[in-house]
Amino acid sequence: MNAVVRPDPSPALPAPPMAARPPRTEGAQWVQRLGRKYADRITALRRLPAREGDYVDLPPDLPPGLADALRARSVTRLYRHQAEAWRAAQDGENLLLATPTASGKSLCYLLPALAAARHGGKALFLFPTKALAQDQVAELIELSTAGHLGVRAATFDGDTSGDARQAIRASGDVVVTNPDMLHQGILPHHTKWAALFENLRYVVIDEIHGYRGVFGSHVANVIRRLKRLCAFYGSDPQFILCSATIGNAVEHAEALIEAPVHAITESGAPSGEKFLLLWNPPVVNPDLGLRASARSQSVRIARVAIKAALKTLVFCGSRTQVEVITKYLKEVFDREPRGPARIRAYRGGYLPNERRETEVAMRAGKVDGIVSTSALELGVDIGALDVVVLNGWPGSVAATWQRFGRAGRRQQASVGVLVASSEAIDQYVVQHPEYFFGANPEQARIHADQPLVLLDHVRCAAFELPFSAGERFGPVEVDGFLDLLADDAVVHREGERWEWIADSYPANAVNLRAVADGNFVVVDRTDGRQTIIAEVDYTAAALTLYEGAIHMVQSVPYQVERLDWPGRKAYVRRTFVDYYTDAIDHTKLKVLERFDASPLGAGQCETGEVHVVRRVSGYKKIRFHTHENIGYGPVQLPDQELQTTATWWQLPPAVLEAAWPTREQALAAFHGAGNALHCVAQLAVMAEGRDLQKCVDDAHPDGRFHPALYLYDAYPGGIGLSQPLYERRSELVKRARGLVAACPCTRGCPACVGPVAAPVKDEAETPKRAAQRLLTLFEAA
Amino acid sequence: MSAALDWLRQQRRTAPTPPPAALPSVAPAPGSDDIADVIERLRRLRERGPRRTAASASSPTIDRHLPGEEIAPGLWQTTERRASLVAPPMIDLSALARPARGRRPPTGTATFDAPIARERLCFFDTETTGLAGGTGTRAFMIGLARFGREGLSITQFTTATMAAEAAMLRAALADLDEGAVLVSYNGRSYDRPLLSTRHTLARLPDPWRDRPHLDLLHPTRRRWRAMLPDCRLATVERHLLGIVRDHDLPGSEAPAAWRSFLRGGNAALLRRVGEHNAQDLASLAALLLHHLGDADAPRG
């Protein structure tokens, strides 16, 4: 079981000498030069001073074997917070580690787990991805080997072979898995895991800030089921939780495990000086208020950094962006096709072994520039970076700090640059630096007792162990839910007990991540091959795998020839065209149920449940470098449907007719107002990334023209954004009007009302004015 | 999304509905009132929907008769003898227990090297609530059979209530003496692990795990796979042993038969499950004799 030991060079070892590269520019100098040359584009420059390390001696009660293991890896002292973590663990407390990235969090849980393993105490580690899980097993085994501790650790997930599974169940000391596997593969077979549950000392859960929203609510319930089983087997493990910096780490941790935690938030790790820049692309068309693309700026900054021999990472908001930027950078730095790649792309669609290979190369310092999606945000070790460029606002304050955290060197300054796109929210952030620098990172919210989520997990729990009347699941009395399940004939009540009776496996029907299942594989058919070159998840498939799409893998273009939707396969062929493709998608909404409604000015604001249909109607062909639109193509794909909650603002037809001569103008005003309203709404509820979507729909059940602006939660069943928005409906309108009024553009721009077309002759009013007038209609007369 | 969610959504479309609990922005402490409200609303929605047949209470006119004797509350035991199934006093299993090349030998292989007394063989077969696996599947019937001087004696334990499970497991254990050698058909992959799971859940010790166990599926497959369309016991008994069952209830219907009885329904189907199980055991014993080349062994 311990056979997989990955011999990676430890980051503490010096980097291999580089041959024939230009001398490295010091980070601080580089920032100064950048600041002088592009002063008009930099809206803010903050300096975070360097920090000394706060060290303490190895704790005296650390077992000698462990102390030896640490010394064998050149660790002779601990950071203060690591020692505090050891102390709290020995004192039997639940622990929360909310220190920044690269602060040595893993030792905080590895040391207690390894110490306990020597006496038969077992541990369960939960990581959100397989890559992180494998990293941890490798680190654990290295420590165990260095100290001759003989601890048996292994990952347990969908890829684990049958024989390995038996061995892990029987004798694994540390089982490393993910919440989905725990939910579906371990808990419903818990009798096979009796040895683990009887001796469980620690449950380690990493990256808990990711367990928010509906997903987090599911995970909280999986933890309830885990605790229930531990009680059955007579164990009471301590929880050690790790979180990125969020606004409410302690509250969130305690909500997840429903128990108090000892929080450690101050890091004793040293950190180098850091410079953070907010960068706004220059205006290229003052009449239309258009700016240069964020992409052009990110490529420029990365080019300048890599030329100065600074290791650079560019974070992108989408996989297509990753491919396009990688292509441009490769054109500059990887002209030699046979030489080692200096620029590499990293994203979720690549095959796991390719990503491992890239991570190893990065750790070894062999890669000069990496272009990635948020996949690299999580804790995978990729060595030290000098410059991090964010191509567009990642959607939250927390994610921005997380990404900036990737840059960091001990002895030299590192740099983080946030490049704004023309999206309203990006423009807001970059023009109001105090919002970002002064903001508390977003809060992570879960609602473990969301009735539908709770019902799912009570069902799974009943499969695992019978329920007695009056028994609680977590803190909730669930007799009522069990009666419902009895009506469904999945449990049978006999006396004071409900027992499972159906011939089904409920965990299979509960997907923790609330998205349709079925990853797509991309099959390369060039020259008669049949090789799988990438994987695409269900939500991205409609946007990137339609027939005719140019799909890029490591910036090599392939064209999709055939898409087998039910079979989840896309067949592609290598292509040499000079354009890329961009899907055109439309969204339509239908109101299923109104929870509440009230008049607002001359119109109405309502909240309720809606049915959203998203259709990809075609695609644009866009030439590289010039970015001209050179054509369109059709797309025939099934619609993607979503049932969720929303809040919407609408105006009666009579009011609209009085205000605008044509329907087109009224709709245009709606779109403009909607852009501003969406922006302020996202900020107001601190929605993260794409959680809150907008849509202007003019359909009405009785066929009349009755447009409305919808703001809906991007998760099935909703995640609790609609109600707070509804409650603040008039405040939001006021703020939106203020945003449009204060915008420095002349006619409208993406920062306020969205992109505007060139003015027509005798334009009656600007898009900006139209949006303001519409918003005014919602304000009390 | 789960079936309940689909169902709930469907209900909401067809009936005027009260608003569900809105999701607050911070997880509140769950007041029992909130949950009670939600359950109430879900209930009302269901009442407007298609009527589900409620479990009918047992009435005197429903046939609830189970064969045998109630040896503990809810636990019924039957015994029968098949005099025609006679085995030689000593049985040599060494040829059968040899594992296929490269595979792990079955538990306690050493036991099979020398001939063993026929009385030690313990044929067993369970009837369960289904094939989904995991901790939610249980056995509602355990059948055991032993060779003796007067043929094959079959004992069956059936639970008429869920609460009788622990008693059933204990009763079966009592039959499982130290020297017992288990014989089953696919029991190594299915029945035995299932029984072990139920023992863990009932917090009982699990001797099933340690007994030597010969699973006849494997030697049967090795020897006769080429000749048979498949290796299900029903196929094997028909082709190799010439046994044709009359009015047999297929094994796949056993779970539903027990569920329906549990909810107060008719016992007729459950009795037929018992007959099916008894024949399975008899066929298993006959199959073993057939393997041993006992051409004179009468078909049970």
Side-chain angles (χ1 to χ4, degrees), chain A residues 25-56:
Chain A
T25 315
E26 215 265 275
Q29 271 188 313
W30 184 78
V31 168
Q32 279 186 341
R33 277 202 265 140
L34 204 70
R36 275 197 301 269
K37 188 165 181 198
Y38 298 105
D40 54 332
R41 304 184 194 185
I42 296 174
T43 61
L45 170 59
R46 293 290 154 99
R47 177 179 163 270
L48 303 178
R51 239 194 4 206
E52 297 270 306
D54 188 359
Y55 299 93
V56 299

Side-chain angles (χ1 to χ4, degrees), chain A residues 77-95:
Chain A
R77 295 180 297 171
L78 291 183
Y79 300 134
R80 183 170 295 280
H81 67 282
Q82 291 172 328
E84 191 187 335
W86 169 261
R87 180 89 281 116
Q90 298 315 299
D91 290 345
E93 300 188 81
N94 295 319
L95 192 48

Side-chain angles (χ1 to χ4, degrees), chain A residues 676 732-742 771-773 775-776 779:
Chain A
L732 291 173
V733 168
K734 243 192 277 296
R735 285 213 201 176
R737 200 156 72 77
L739 182 124
V740 178
Q772 281 178 287
R773 269 210 303 139
L775 288 166
T776 315
E779 296 187 22

Side-chain angles (χ1 to χ4, degrees), chain A residues 51 79 81-82 99-106 267-271 274 379 381 383 402 405-408 410:
Chain A
R51 239 194 4 206
Y79 300 134
H81 67 282
Q82 291 172 328
T99 53
T101 344
S103 53
K105 279 197 276 249
S106 53
S267 167
S271 63
K274 210 178 258 195
D381 182 8
Q402 184 92 335
R406 281 307 205 169
R410 304 274 171 91

